[in-house]
Amino acid sequence: MKQLFQEAHKRSLWQVLGIYMAGSWVVLQVVDQLTESAGLPEWVPSFALVLLLIGLPIVVATAFLQHRGGPVVADQPASLADDESSGSAPTDSVQAEVAPFVATVTDSTPHKLFTWRNAIVGGVAAAVLFAVVMGGWAYARNEGIGGAGTLVAKGVIDDGEKVILADFSGDSTMAEVATMAFRVDLSQSPTINVADLNFLRTVLERMEVDPDSRLDEELAREAAIREGLKAIVAGDVARAGGSYVVSARLVAAESGEELINLRETAADSSMVMESIDQLSRRMRERLGESLGSIRASAPLDKATTTSLEALRKYSQALRAIDGGDHDLGKGLLREAVELDPEFAMAWRKLAVEEFDDPNARKEAATRAYELRDLLTDRERYMTIGTYHGYVTNDNDAAITAYRTLLDQYPDDGWALNNVALQYFAQGPRVCTFSVRATRLMPCSIVSSRRCRTTRL
């Protein structure tokens, strides 16, 4: 330890600052990896960063003051050396000449507070504080103590509890999509079991309610009480100016008490799905699911379908195609449309992948086009563009569809890629779209000669 103090004392201010910054980077990388692998909360890296920022001015001040207070070696005046060698006492004039050197040594004495010993002890204390906070959070979460405690740990619900998801209320254009997306996300959680649509239809029939009627919060609560379920999940998508406020809550079936109430804000309609993802993750965390499990679950693509299994096949197909395995992707897409014959986006993507069979391509594109009215705006314009590109060969109509989509979603990589291809088919007019698409989705765009020309 003594040698460590001595080495630190020898370093200049810039050397100490560089060492501290490099060490801080290593610490943050380790904390980030532990957060992912050990299932720590997302605020842990920020907490570690705050501790490191607090330590930064302390280390800089210590380096500055201790460097000033280091050994001062000054050449003695010649007159003083002569007096010492002769053994005689220095005269008053010599003492006056030496006074500035004495003052310099006195002013440069090491600071007693900002010492390397204190700095290192402070660093150890910060590490202990970090460990104590993490341990306390983990204990409170597992034991159901305070705000960190999960509902499963508190005994409010059981692990694997079945719940009913009510239809989201609010903006009519986004509520249905939000309900479907939230169902998909919650269905991946092992902590709760979201009642499937067949179960709900059976319950509603026993209640003598039209199974196709909208399942609002009150109806969902009544169904849950009839089936002896403890809770339901409800939500809302409200438009506020140009943005959307998306909320989700877990409600006790009997009392109507809100056990969890969460909210996210989306800047525009293109960000609603991201807000849904954040809400579902936060709800799964509050329920009691392991954070590592939440992060490990591969997100499913946001596509319109009533079949969860078909959506899983579709998402697997997209990952396989992105990885270059087009045969596997094509097979998975065919399984998806078998599970849900009205899965328009799966038909559309299958048309893209049927590059060896023009008839099968036209058939799949036509089937997707016939189902376009069931889709969101983004999906519908993508489907229209694909149909005109493959079936009618009307480049202008395809370009119009993709441009309309880009008016709403300017950074949509698929639309940028496909409209660039349509322009490319008309001649050397690919410019802005191909460049923007390449930035978003490299190695799939016509502007790169090294990449295969492909539609998405």
Side-chain angles (χ1 to χ4, degrees), residues 273-352:
M273 291 299 99
E274 183 176 337
S275 297
I276 291 292
D277 286 341
Q278 291 295 327
L279 281 177
S280 63
R281 289 165 65 94
R282 290 172 60 193
M283 180 166 285
R284 291 164 66 180
E285 177 183 349
R286 292 283 301 277
L287 287 167
E289 184 176 350
S290 164
L291 298 184
S293 172
I294 296 173
R295 297 187 184 113
S297 58
L300 300 180
D301 194 81
K302 307 305 180 187
T304 303
T305 174
T306 58
S307 171
L308 176 60
E309 190 57 35
L311 184 60
R312 286 199 177 101
K313 296 290 184 182
Y314 177 75
S315 301
Q316 292 170 5
L318 295 186
R319 288 193 289 271
I321 292 168
D322 288 343
D325 194 339
H326 292 268
D327 291 336
L328 175 59
K330 192 188 303 184
L332 290 168
L333 289 171
R334 287 171 178 164
E335 292 182 30
V337 296
E338 287 179 3
L339 290 167
D340 181 7
E342 296 187 346
F343 194 171
M345 288 302 284
W347 283 112
R348 191 208 71 84
K349 190 62 176 177
L350 184 59
V352 173

Side-chain angles (χ1 to χ4, degrees), residues 56-376:
L56 178 60
I58 297 174
V59 169
V60 171
T62 302
F64 179 74
L65 294 172
Q66 290 298 314
H67 184 65
R68 287 184 59 195
V72 178
V73 180
D75 293 335
Q76 293 179 333
S79 58
L80 177 61
D82 293 341
D83 289 338
E84 288 179 348
S85 61
S86 62
S88 60
T91 63
D92 292 341
S93 61
V94 173
Q95 289 179 348
E97 190 175 355
V98 174
F101 293 91
V102 176
T104 300
V105 174
T106 303
D107 291 342
S108 299
T109 54
H111 201 283
K112 294 182 179 180
L113 176 61
F114 290 96
T115 66
W116 286 118
R117 181 183 297 277
N118 291 344
I120 293 175
V121 170
V124 173
V128 171
L129 173 63
F130 182 82
V132 169
V133 170
M134 292 300 97
W137 174 87
Y139 180 80
R141 174 179 169 82
N142 294 332
E143 297 299 321
I145 301 173
T150 67
L151 295 187
V152 171
K154 291 178 179 180
V156 176
I157 64 172
D158 298 326
D159 197 10
E161 185 84 40
K162 177 175 281 191
V163 299
I164 291 177
L165 174 63
D167 291 334
F168 275 54
S169 59
D171 187 89
S172 57
T173 59
M174 298 302 301
E176 184 176 354
V177 177
T179 303
M180 185 178 299
F182 211 76
R183 175 179 293 278
V184 169
D185 288 349
L186 288 186
S187 66
Q188 299 180 75
S189 173
T191 305
I192 59 171
N193 177 18
V194 180
D196 59 40
L197 297 178
N198 290 331
F199 173 85
L200 293 176
R201 291 181 68 88
T202 302
V203 175
L204 293 176
E205 287 173 355
R206 287 201 300 269
M207 295 170 62
E208 298 185 354
V209 175
D210 182 3
D212 296 324
S213 61
R214 184 176 178 277
L215 187 66
D216 59 22
E217 184 174 343
E218 290 302 318
L219 187 57
R221 281 185 58 197
E222 182 179 347
I225 293 171
R226 283 171 174 263
E227 296 300 312
L229 306 182
K230 293 181 180 179
I232 68 164
V233 177
D236 180 78
V237 183
R239 189 161 188 171
S243 61
Y244 290 83
V245 178
V246 187
S247 62
R249 54 194 178 276
L250 184 74
V251 181
E254 287 284 355
S255 65
E257 178 188 357
E258 293 184 352
L259 305 175
I260 299 176
N261 194 338
L262 305 171
R263 185 179 69 177
E264 291 282 342
T265 301
D268 53 45
S269 59
S270 65
M271 302 297 291
V272 170
M273 291 299 99
E274 183 176 337
S275 297
I276 291 292
D277 286 341
Q278 291 295 327
L279 281 177
S280 63
R281 289 165 65 94
R282 290 172 60 193
M283 180 166 285
R284 291 164 66 180
E285 177 183 349
R286 292 283 301 277
L287 287 167
E289 184 176 350
S290 164
L291 298 184
S293 172
I294 296 173
R295 297 187 184 113
S297 58
L300 300 180
D301 194 81
K302 307 305 180 187
T304 303
T305 174
T306 58
S307 171
L308 176 60
E309 190 57 35
L311 184 60
R312 286 199 177 101
K313 296 290 184 182
Y314 177 75
S315 301
Q316 292 170 5
L318 295 186
R319 288 193 289 271
I321 292 168
D322 288 343
D325 194 339
H326 292 268
D327 291 336
L328 175 59
K330 192 188 303 184
L332 290 168
L333 289 171
R334 287 171 178 164
E335 292 182 30
V337 296
E338 287 179 3
L339 290 167
D340 181 7
E342 296 187 346
F343 194 171
M345 288 302 284
W347 283 112
R348 191 208 71 84
K349 190 62 176 177
L350 184 59
V352 173
E353 293 302 307
E354 292 284 10
F355 39 79
D356 294 330
D357 190 341
N359 292 330
R361 165 171 281 181
K362 290 182 178 180
E363 181 181 347
T366 301
R367 179 59 178 152
Y369 184 76
E370 293 171 348
L371 299 167
R372 65 190 182 280
D373 291 338
L374 303 174
L375 304 177
T376 63

